[in-house]
Amino acid sequence: MHHKHNPLLLCKLKCLLCLQCICLMVIFSLSVSVSVCFFHKGNIIGSGIFVSPKGVLENASSVGVAIIVWVTTGIITAIGALCYAELGVTIPKSGGDYSYVKDIFGGLAGFLRLWIAVLVIYPTNQAVIALTFSNYVLQPLFPSCLPPESGLRLLAAVCLLLLTWVNCYSVRWATCVQDVFTTGKLLALGLIIIMGVVQICKGHYYWLEPAHAFETFRDYDVGLIALSFLQGSFAYGGWNFLNYVTEELVDPYRNLPRAIFISIPVVTFVYVFANVAYVTAMSPQELLASNAVAVTFGEKLLGVMSWIMPISVALSTFGGVNGSLFTSSRLFFAGAREGHLPRLLAMIHVTRCTPIPALLFTLISTLLMLCTSDIYTLINYVGFINYLFYGVTVAGQIVLRIKQPDMYRPIKVSLVWPVIYLLFWAFLLIFSLYSEPVVCGIGLAIMMTGVPVYFLGVYWENKPQCFDITIGKMTHLCQMLCSVVYPDMGENLESHGPERKNGGREDQRQNPQMAN
């Protein structure tokens, strides 16, 4: 006997299935967003919060102004991240500001961004984190004095060599190191903030009272305040990292701005309250006298358990060096894909799939940065260069709006925000250059050395045959020594070669000198 289906029952089943599908989609969307937010926060929160407080306070001249600097830097970082979010979904390429500057201002500007990142930004960041690791490991061994500079540099070099070997040997080992050592910074920051709250509840907030917060230990100077912003901005470094992996994000139109709206306010809250906690246990003079602020904080409040703090921070900074090494290869891939870097720097091991040439190049340039152990000079150095290109990138957002007003923009922010960012950017660069002309000038000089390199290595196509042969032999030798090959990226490098001038317009062609 033929059984008739109940139309009402079928309708209910369809509704139930639709509801389940919607619930699964919502849960998946939320889980992806949460993962992106944690990823974003994890890349921002690093060693900076354990080293920058001294530099910020020293240049701000009072506790009150230092707290204002931390809050303002968080706000400016959020504004910059919003501008980058629009660019990230308008120009959906991995490579971050390098890709945006190249597409908006042309090959030379993009190459200079890549050049300074390869030679200055990544090596200096890694040197600062490695030196912070050394400070926190050695400071407990020298309770009555500062650790010797040679010891700091030597331990930092050992840290870099060990982690470079780990990253060269196995991607899995590198990710495991990152997962394990991330707990260090969470433990350290959690302890600092909780102990700060306990101190405030006990009434230990002398330096937070308005009458005392703005007591100066040196005269205010606008140039020094600009340097305090550079020191603070180092702690917020990593806010633009998601723009380097835009092509790999799930639903970037939704998750990129969501990560910014959630992550940066949380990070700002953590940083401000960590600094509030520091001054509940230490006077400004005590904080400035310490090269390992969290260790001094732990010694004052944790008693026999004070060993937890240097170990936690050391774990955090060790993981920070590993994370920086692990992620730097993305920029090398983007540069090689566009023909702006030799293909060797984007090659990976034939079996381990690790970017050995890029890691070795970064290691050598970072070891050169260890010629100085003055962390705060290095931070000013890298902070100035970073902000220079942040401003150029945000200016590119305005230029793109003018040149291509009808371009599809899934995220479109008010032009008020890039204007505010650029005003702050101009203040910061002008007065930083005034206060530290030598440090900032060296950074600018290194950047400008990229101009002849661009014209000789990228723009000039018809090079002598002997040059092609020499570069080819050197590349082949390095390939044999490192057992590396160029990865299959889905399309040949030939379609992404460097620009050449042709009738006033730039087109893309393969550059054999940069590709061999």
Side-chain angles (χ1 to χ4, degrees):
M1 182 177 171
H2 181 68
H3 177 71
K4 278 192 171 183
H5 294 293
N6 188 330
L8 184 60
L9 180 61
L10 284 173
C11 185
K12 287 180 179 179
L13 286 171
K14 287 179 181 178
C15 290
L16 184 59
L17 285 170
C18 288
L19 185 60
Q20 287 176 333
C21 289
I22 291 169
C23 289
L24 286 171
M25 289 170 65
V26 170
I27 291 169
F28 176 75
S29 176
L30 287 173
S31 66
V32 169
S33 298
V34 169
S35 298
V36 171
C37 289
F38 274 107
F39 181 76
H40 201 210
K41 283 184 282 188
N43 276 286
I44 299 174
I45 298 176
S47 66
I49 188 56
F50 304 118
V51 66
S52 292
K54 177 180 175 179
V56 171
L57 181 62
E58 185 177 21
N59 291 298
S61 304
S62 72
V63 171
V65 173
I67 298 298
I68 291 171
V69 166
W70 282 105
V71 174
T72 306
T73 306
I75 294 169
I76 293 297
T77 299
I79 292 172
L82 283 175
C83 298
Y84 268 58
E86 177 180 319
L87 287 169
V89 296
T90 305
I91 307 173
K93 291 182 181 179
S94 292
D97 36 21
Y98 159 67
S99 296
Y100 313 147
V101 169
K102 177 187 171 299
D103 283 5
I104 297 169
F105 294 110
L108 176 59
F111 180 82
L112 290 179
R113 171 56 179 163
L114 183 66
W115 178 255
I116 206 70
V118 168
L119 289 187
V120 175
I121 294 173
Y122 275 111
T124 308
N125 270 330
Q126 284 153 197
V128 169
I129 302 170
L131 286 169
T132 306
F133 167 79
S134 302
N135 263 309
Y136 275 90
V137 170
L138 295 180
Q139 187 64 54
L141 305 179
F142 296 87
S144 59
C145 63
L146 297 177
E149 289 195 5
S150 56
L152 291 172
R153 289 198 290 264
L154 181 60
L155 185 57
V158 170
C159 170
L160 287 164
L161 287 166
L162 175 61
L163 286 173
T164 300
W165 177 80
V166 169
N167 278 269
C168 286
Y169 187 77
S170 171
V171 173
R172 180 177 295 177
W173 282 22
T175 53
C176 286
V177 167
Q178 193 65 18
D179 292 341
V180 170
F181 286 92
T182 296
T183 58
K185 64 182 158 192
L186 300 177
L187 176 61
L189 284 172
L191 272 175
I192 290 168
I193 293 173
I194 290 169
M195 294 304 297
V197 172
V198 171
Q199 285 287 96
I200 291 173
C201 293
K202 289 181 178 179
H204 299 293
Y205 46 80
Y206 177 85
W207 292 105
L208 298 175
E209 295 174 353
H212 307 117
F214 293 94
E215 286 183 11
T216 60
F217 46 84
R218 68 193 296 179
D219 292 336
Y220 287 123
D221 182 275
V222 66
L224 292 177
I225 290 174
L227 291 181
S228 73
F229 278 107
L230 282 187
Q231 295 283 332
S233 69
F234 177 78
Y236 286 92
W239 60 266
N240 62 333
F241 183 76
L242 285 180
N243 291 78
Y244 283 84
V245 293
T246 305
E247 294 175 31
E248 301 168 41
L249 286 180
V250 176
D251 193 5
Y253 304 151
R254 176 182 296 177
N255 290 319
L256 190 57
R258 186 176 290 176
I260 292 166
F261 291 137
I262 296 174
S263 302
I264 293 180
V266 170
V267 172
T268 304
F269 172 85
V270 169
Y271 282 2
V272 170
F273 273 84
N275 280 275
V276 166
Y278 287 144
V279 296
T280 62
M282 294 179 281
S283 68
Q285 290 73 23
E286 289 174 315
L287 195 152
L288 293 175
S290 174
N291 266 4
V293 178
V295 169
T296 307
F297 179 85
E299 289 172 350
K300 283 184 167 291
L301 297 184
L302 296 177
V304 294
M305 300 297 290
S306 60
W307 56 269
I308 294 175
M309 196 58 69
I311 289 177
S312 298
V313 178
L315 291 175
S316 169
T317 49
F318 192 78
V321 176
N322 180 74
S324 184
L325 287 169
F326 187 77
T327 57
S328 61
S329 60
R330 294 182 184 277
L331 196 58
F332 289 108
F333 278 120
R337 182 173 65 179
E338 300 292 344
H340 282 176
L341 283 179
R343 293 186 69 183
L344 178 66
L345 291 179
M347 290 185 183
I348 60 175
H349 193 271
V350 290
T351 56
R352 298 191 180 101
C353 296
T354 53
I356 292 176
L359 289 165
L360 293 178
F361 180 86
T362 306
L363 171 67
I364 293 168
S365 53
T366 305
L367 290 175
L368 290 174
M369 292 294 176
L370 294 179
C371 291
T372 176
S373 60
D374 187 346
I375 292 176
Y376 303 100
T377 298
L378 288 173
I379 290 175
N380 288 338
Y381 180 52
V382 73
F384 178 82
I385 294 298
N386 255 334
Y387 255 100
L388 175 64
F389 274 99
Y390 290 160
V392 170
T393 306
V394 172
Q397 179 188 10
I398 299 175
V399 170
L400 198 63
R401 287 278 192 96
I402 295 169
K403 289 171 62 177
Q404 300 185 45
D406 299 325
M407 190 175 186
Y408 176 62
R409 293 175 173 84
I411 299 172
K412 191 173 184 179
V413 301
S414 170
L415 284 180
V416 171
W417 300 119
V419 169
I420 292 173
Y421 190 91
L422 289 174
L423 290 173
F424 179 81
W425 171 78
F427 153 77
L428 199 63
L429 291 191
I430 291 169
F431 286 102
S432 297
L433 192 58
Y434 167 76
S435 296
E436 288 279 5
V438 175
V439 172
C440 299
I442 290 172
L444 288 173
I446 292 174
M447 181 185 71
M448 295 312 296
T449 60
V451 175
V453 174
Y454 173 79
F455 283 104
L456 291 174
V458 178
Y459 189 82
W460 181 26
E461 292 182 345
N462 300 316
K463 298 181 181 68
Q465 189 176 5
C466 60
F467 181 84
D468 294 346
I469 294 170
T470 303
I471 293 295
K473 287 182 177 179
M474 289 174 59
T475 302
H476 184 68
L477 176 62
C478 293
Q479 281 187 264
M480 296 294 291
L481 290 172
C482 298
S483 298
V484 293
V485 293
Y486 194 77
D488 181 11
M489 298 171 63
E491 54 182 320
N492 295 329
L493 187 67
E494 282 80 354
S495 61
H496 292 282
E499 298 81 4
R500 71 178 182 94
K501 194 170 182 180
N502 184 13
R505 301 177 67 180
E506 290 184 336
D507 66 341
Q508 295 182 326
R509 290 180 61 184
Q510 168 68 17
N511 188 337
Q513 290 79 22
M514 303 300 286
N516 285 332

